[in-house]
Amino acid sequence: MRSRSRVLVIVVAVAVGALAAGVFAGTRITSPEEAAARTAPPTATAVTVPVERRTLESEVTTRGEASYTGAVDVAPELAGLETSPVVTGQVPDVGDQVKAGDVLLEIVGRPVIALPGDLPMYRSLRPGMSGPDVEQLEKALDALGFDPGTVDDTYTSATGRAVAELFDEAGYSPPAAAPDVQAELDTARQAMQMAEDEVADAEAALDAAKTGPSEAEKVAAQNDVDQATRALKQARRDGDTDLVAEAEAQLRLAQATLADLQKGPDTSAEQKMLDNARQRLSDAQAARDAAATEAGTPLPASEVVFVSSLPRRVDDVEVRRGGVVEGTVMSISGTDLVVTAEVDEAARELLEEDMEAMIELPSGEQITAPITRIREPSGDSSGHRVTMTPEDLTADQVDELRGANVRVTIPVESTEGDVLAVPLAALTAGPGGEARVEVQRLSAEGEEIIELLEVEVGLTARGYAEVEPVEGSLEEGDLVVIGGEADTGDGEGESDDER
């Protein structure tokens, strides 16, 4: 019995195991149709997003380099110096500001003064010279308040006096005339002094000649006339012809003497001498004035540097006190810190001067800067250079911005408020080129359908487009198709490529 029971247990166990194996095998066996159904792609459905209300802003985004405007290398004209051009003082520091009339540097004890002007200082100037460089100098002097006389292209003594005032203001003695020019002036002054002495002598001689007889001499001459008249009368009464003739002769002599005394002296010779002396003095004065003009304050080429605009900032200094100048002594630029970016033709058409740009500092802080200049491409460059000038920067902002490469965003156009907006991917083109969107709606039976809705497209920016339905309705929250396959109600779907 015990043996039969054991056999029964074994048979039951084997049957249970076979049943389990069969069930497991049954779960692993699939038909070809079922396998194909499991591996088929899912039914395509439309990908939708809701219509939004948002403010759209189009903008130009680029990167720009921050720098100071208009760098200029300063190289004084030292050809006229007779000594080695040693720097003796007034060496500026990087960051110093240079204004019109400031001393840029001191070379062999003389200043190099900065003045505004486009022409370089290509020659030394002195009274009597003419040219556009003289006119440029006089305009600069006049702007600084030093009167050069009539502002023209001629260097006059008034120009020289204004130059002297410029150097006095800078704390230096005015430039001196050349020794030979000064010698000519000294000679002309001596000649004029001699002419003045000659005139004085001639005037004294004329005055002496004009003095004439005294009143007593005139009275005595009148008495002689009276006495001769009485003698003549007596001789006629006596009837003595010889005495009458003699008395008549005496009367004529007395009358002639009186007449001469009353007429005054003849000073024609003395007057002629004086006229000649005065002419020589006039010639001497003219020669002295000409020599004085020539000897007026000159302007050595080595003591002035003209810069197109001032004030400016010292960017780099290449000399030191005690060193010898060889070419460029420093680099100066405009005091305005600007950001310059390059944009393509499409962006250029959107930009105008005075537009406000947003500049992101390296720290992330945002500052504004108006567009101050747009230059066309030049040379090998194909881009348009846009210059922006930040205003009212703090010292920290200047330090952070100087030399940095920064992100620049220039807002171009805005919807000025919230509008209906859809992603650009939601726009399709109709057979006539009209813009459309596919709006997912529910039919009366509660089924999802797609409505093709023609729209007018407004501003596009940052991947969105402003839309307004031509007919029908489109509201915030409506679902528009941006991908997938949609049923437009005719039983056929429209793929992304077909749209």
Side-chain angles (χ1 to χ4, degrees):
M1 285 296 290
R2 187 174 299 172
S3 174
R4 289 179 180 176
S5 298
R6 183 180 299 113
V7 172
L8 180 60
V9 171
I10 292 172
V11 171
V12 172
V14 170
V16 171
L19 178 61
V23 173
F24 177 77
T27 62
R28 292 300 182 182
I29 297 173
T30 59
S31 67
E33 293 78 6
E34 185 178 356
R38 289 183 178 182
T39 57
T43 303
T45 59
V47 179
T48 60
V49 295
V51 177
E52 300 181 26
R53 293 196 69 86
R54 62 162 59 192
T55 299
L56 297 183
E57 293 180 340
S58 63
E59 58 192 25
V60 173
T61 302
T62 183
R63 298 198 69 84
E65 296 288 342
S67 64
Y68 284 95
T69 56
V72 174
D73 289 336
V74 177
E77 177 56 59
L78 304 175
L81 286 182
E82 298 179 355
T83 61
S84 180
V86 176
V87 177
T88 53
Q90 299 277 26
V91 181
D93 294 324
V94 172
D96 285 353
Q97 189 180 74
V98 177
K99 303 185 298 298
D102 283 354
V103 176
L104 285 173
L105 198 67
E106 182 185 277
I107 300 175
V108 294
R110 296 298 300 168
V112 179
I113 298 176
L115 291 178
D118 295 326
L119 293 176
M121 190 67 178
Y122 58 88
R123 62 172 178 169
S124 294
L125 300 176
R126 65 178 185 275
M129 283 186 166
S130 298
D133 51 346
V134 175
E135 183 174 9
Q136 174 177 267
L137 169 65
E138 291 189 350
K139 286 180 178 179
L141 293 170
D142 186 62
L144 287 171
F146 306 121
D147 183 11
T150 301
V151 176
D152 54 20
D153 64 353
T154 301
Y155 198 122
T156 64
S157 56
T159 310
R161 287 192 294 271
V163 169
E165 292 175 4
L166 171 68
F167 279 80
D168 286 338
E169 184 72 17
Y172 289 83
S173 60
D180 57 334
V181 175
Q182 187 62 46
E184 289 182 7
L185 175 60
D186 293 340
T187 300
R189 285 172 173 168
Q190 292 174 359
M192 192 183 76
Q193 183 61 52
M194 293 176 62
E196 289 176 342
D197 293 342
E198 185 180 356
V199 168
D201 292 342
E203 288 176 341
L206 179 60
D207 289 341
K210 287 180 178 179
T211 301
S214 64
E215 190 63 27
E217 290 175 321
K218 292 178 181 180
V219 171
Q222 183 63 53
N223 290 338
D224 290 342
V225 170
D226 294 343
Q227 185 176 356
T229 299
R230 288 192 298 271
L232 177 59
K233 289 179 179 180
Q234 185 61 43
R236 287 174 177 170
R237 282 195 298 270
D238 294 339
D240 188 338
T241 56
D242 292 336
L243 291 177
V244 169
E246 182 179 354
E248 288 176 346
Q250 290 293 329
L251 178 58
R252 287 196 296 275
L253 177 59
Q255 288 174 336
T257 301
L258 178 59
D260 287 342
L261 293 176
Q262 290 176 337
K263 182 174 62 175
D266 180 8
T267 60
S268 57
E270 289 81 2
Q271 184 63 53
K272 185 175 181 179
M273 290 178 59
L274 178 58
D275 292 342
N276 291 337
R278 285 176 173 170
Q279 183 59 51
R280 286 189 289 273
L281 175 59
S282 178
D283 293 342
Q285 287 174 332
R288 189 280 314 270
D289 291 344
T293 298
E294 287 290 329
T297 303
L299 183 58
S302 61
E303 298 188 13
V304 161
V305 169
F306 282 100
V307 183
S308 58
S309 63
L310 291 168
R312 286 178 178 261
R313 175 187 182 275
V314 177
D315 287 341
D316 185 38
V317 179
E318 300 185 16
V319 294
R320 58 179 178 80
R321 189 171 185 269
V324 176
V325 175
E326 295 180 357
T328 299
V329 296
M330 69 185 69
S331 177
I332 59 177
S333 65
T335 55
D336 290 332
L337 190 60
V338 300
V339 174
T340 304
E342 195 167 284
V343 300
D344 59 20
E345 184 67 31
R348 166 64 183 91
E349 293 179 357
L350 301 174
L351 302 181
E352 296 179 0
E353 291 186 3
D354 296 329
M355 280 184 170
E356 287 287 334
M358 299 296 298
I359 297 173
E360 183 177 334
L361 299 179
S363 64
E365 181 183 357
Q366 295 275 352
I367 61 173
T368 61
I371 296 176
T372 52
R373 186 178 183 185
I374 303 177
R375 287 180 288 178
E376 304 305 312
S378 60
D380 297 333
S381 173
S382 60
H384 300 259
R385 292 178 63 82
V386 180
T387 300
M388 294 145 284
T389 306
E391 300 173 347
D392 302 325
L393 294 176
T394 66
D396 290 342
Q397 289 172 334
V398 170
D399 290 340
E400 188 177 358
L401 185 59
R402 185 187 303 124
N405 180 278
V406 293
R407 177 184 174 89
V408 177
T409 303
I410 307 170
V412 175
E413 190 176 359
S414 172
T415 57
E416 298 183 357
D418 291 344
V419 296
L420 288 177
V422 299
L424 292 175
L427 296 174
T428 63
E434 68 276 11
R436 306 180 305 179
V437 293
E438 299 174 5
V439 186
Q440 186 180 79
R441 302 191 189 279
L442 291 177
S443 68
E445 292 76 18
E447 297 179 355
E448 290 183 355
I449 61 172
I450 299 298
E451 177 187 356
L452 288 177
L453 190 65
E454 183 180 348
V455 294
E456 289 185 356
V457 180
L459 179 64
T460 61
R462 295 189 177 184
Y464 279 81
E466 175 188 3
V467 294
E468 188 70 29
V470 176
E471 292 183 358
S473 66
L474 187 67
E475 303 291 340
E476 181 182 7
D478 286 348
L479 297 178
V480 293
V481 177
I482 63 170
E485 187 171 319
D487 184 0
T488 59
D490 57 5
E492 296 183 1
E494 185 179 34
S495 68
D496 290 341
D497 292 340
E498 290 173 330
R499 292 206 310 275

